[in-house]
Amino acid sequence: MGRAVSNADAGRTISRYCAELFRAEDARLDVLKHPVQSTAAIAPHAHADSLQLTWLRHCGGRILSGNEWFSVAGTTAAVAYPGERHGYELRRDGPNAEIVLVKLPVSAASILRTERPLPHVSTTLPPLPSLESAIDRLHLDVTPTDAAMPRWIADAAAVLTRWPRSTSGGVSHLREIHGAHADPSVEAAVSLIEERISDPPSLDELARAAKLSSRQLSRRFEQAFGVTPHQYMNERRVARARVLLFDDRLTGKAVAEMLGFPSHTVFSRWFRKREGRTPGQFREDPTHF
């Protein structure tokens, strides 16, 4: 299934690919979501210029990815790189069974032609609420207008950065980002954070969403993520800022406004405090971490 890829290397490759998307003259995506009533099948095929992400909810059966068949069950994430045959033969394996297919453009010179940062198949996955939310947001951006391009690329980047990773490729059983255990209360708080990246909720608002006291939420959040809710919000906001800064068509002021900052000066000071460099310096070398 290919050479091992470290999480750090995968992160750098994904960041560079997101930069390619922002700079593409005619970047477009396709997103298809459809329920599985009893069975579903797609004959093996390949796309020469696309990366296909397949997200299966409550499906069993088998899936072809990376030119190899895998048995799958429950929730599955699969990746087919340009030129790789892929397809599936699935059955409904629970309520709300569905398939989500995401096709992202890959240029002839793309780093994804040589670097393949994501495992071909990760199956029997636990709940991944932030990835689920990112996939659902991306689905709303089908056939985006030019004015919405930065938003859908940011949402595509959110899906890619949350996609399950493995250091060995092939089938993996991964937990949520930062190793979070499934906790409905924490998931509710995370969902609110993701919905309001440009208007970060207060701890009291998060606690109400989680139906916990502020102290209880903070304790559970740190158990799940190893950081406080405030630190997590800053991390997610910085991640979105990095993605938006990849787009040279957006001014620093526009990025600041999209993230809810009152001015570019305030945004620049905030970004430098967390990244150790200004937004302008980040744009000069976005692949440096």
Side-chain angles (χ1 to χ4, degrees):
M1 294 304 299
R3 65 181 179 81
V5 179
S6 72
N7 277 333
D9 287 341
R12 281 190 286 270
T13 299
I14 290 168
S15 292
R16 289 178 63 185
Y17 173 64
C18 291
E20 292 174 11
L21 286 179
F22 269 122
R23 292 178 172 84
E25 293 183 1
D26 188 30
R28 287 292 183 270
L29 62 78
D30 292 318
V31 182
L32 173 66
K33 180 190 290 190
H34 59 91
V36 177
Q37 302 297 342
S38 56
T39 61
I42 289 290
H45 63 288
H47 304 295
D49 301 311
S50 298
L51 170 73
Q52 179 160 308
L53 306 177
T54 301
W55 183 249
L56 307 177
R57 292 171 169 137
H58 306 296
C59 291
R62 66 175 190 159
I63 187 168
L64 176 67
S65 186
N67 302 315
E68 183 175 344
W69 286 98
F70 296 87
S71 296
V72 298
T75 299
T76 297
V79 177
Y81 293 96
E84 291 184 341
R85 295 171 68 248
H86 54 279
Y88 51 75
E89 297 172 358
L90 303 170
R91 66 179 183 277
R92 182 184 177 91
D93 201 22
N96 303 317
E98 68 177 359
I99 300 166
V100 183
L101 304 176
V102 179
K103 283 203 309 184
L104 298 172
V106 177
S107 69
S110 175
I111 189 173
L112 289 185
R113 299 281 181 178
T114 54
E115 301 294 325
R116 303 190 173 194
L118 300 171
H120 282 99
V121 176
S122 300
T123 193
T124 61
L125 290 166
L128 303 177
S130 61
L131 175 57
E132 292 266 5
S133 295
I135 290 171
D136 290 339
R137 285 198 306 274
L138 184 60
H139 180 248
L140 297 176
D141 292 335
V142 178
T143 62
T145 63
D146 288 342
M149 288 286 285
R151 185 189 69 216
W152 83 248
I153 294 176
D155 286 341
V159 171
L160 287 166
T161 56
R162 291 168 175 77
W163 201 263
R165 302 178 190 176
S166 170
T167 57
S168 60
V171 178
S172 58
H173 304 267
L174 305 180
R175 296 187 298 169
E176 173 66 297
I177 186 171
H178 298 305
H181 296 283
D183 181 329
S185 297
V186 172
E187 290 175 12
V190 167
S191 293
L192 182 58
I193 289 171
E194 296 298 331
E195 291 170 6
R196 292 177 50 183
I197 288 292
S198 62
D199 178 27
S202 67
L203 181 59
D204 286 343
E205 289 177 304
L206 292 173
R208 285 196 293 273
K211 298 181 180 180
L212 297 171
S213 70
S214 298
R215 181 174 296 182
Q216 288 174 320
L217 175 63
S218 295
R219 183 173 64 251
R220 291 197 192 183
F221 218 94
E222 291 195 53
Q223 288 174 344
F225 293 102
V227 295
T228 66
H230 179 71
Q231 289 170 323
Y232 180 88
M233 279 191 287
N234 274 324
E235 180 180 325
R236 296 304 314 135
R237 214 174 183 195
V238 166
R240 179 58 66 91
R242 291 194 200 108
V243 171
L244 293 173
L245 288 169
F246 279 133
D247 189 353
D248 293 334
R249 296 168 295 184
L250 292 175
T251 65
K253 180 180 178 181
V255 173
E257 290 176 350
M258 293 174 75
L259 290 169
F261 288 92
S263 70
H264 178 256
T265 300
V266 174
F267 166 60
S268 184
R269 186 165 56 242
W270 173 88
F271 189 85
R272 183 171 186 173
K273 180 178 180 180
R274 286 154 183 81
E275 289 291 283
R277 52 190 175 148
T278 67
Q281 290 170 330
F282 175 85
R283 277 182 152 162
E284 289 176 6
D285 185 9
T287 62
H288 172 71
F289 289 90

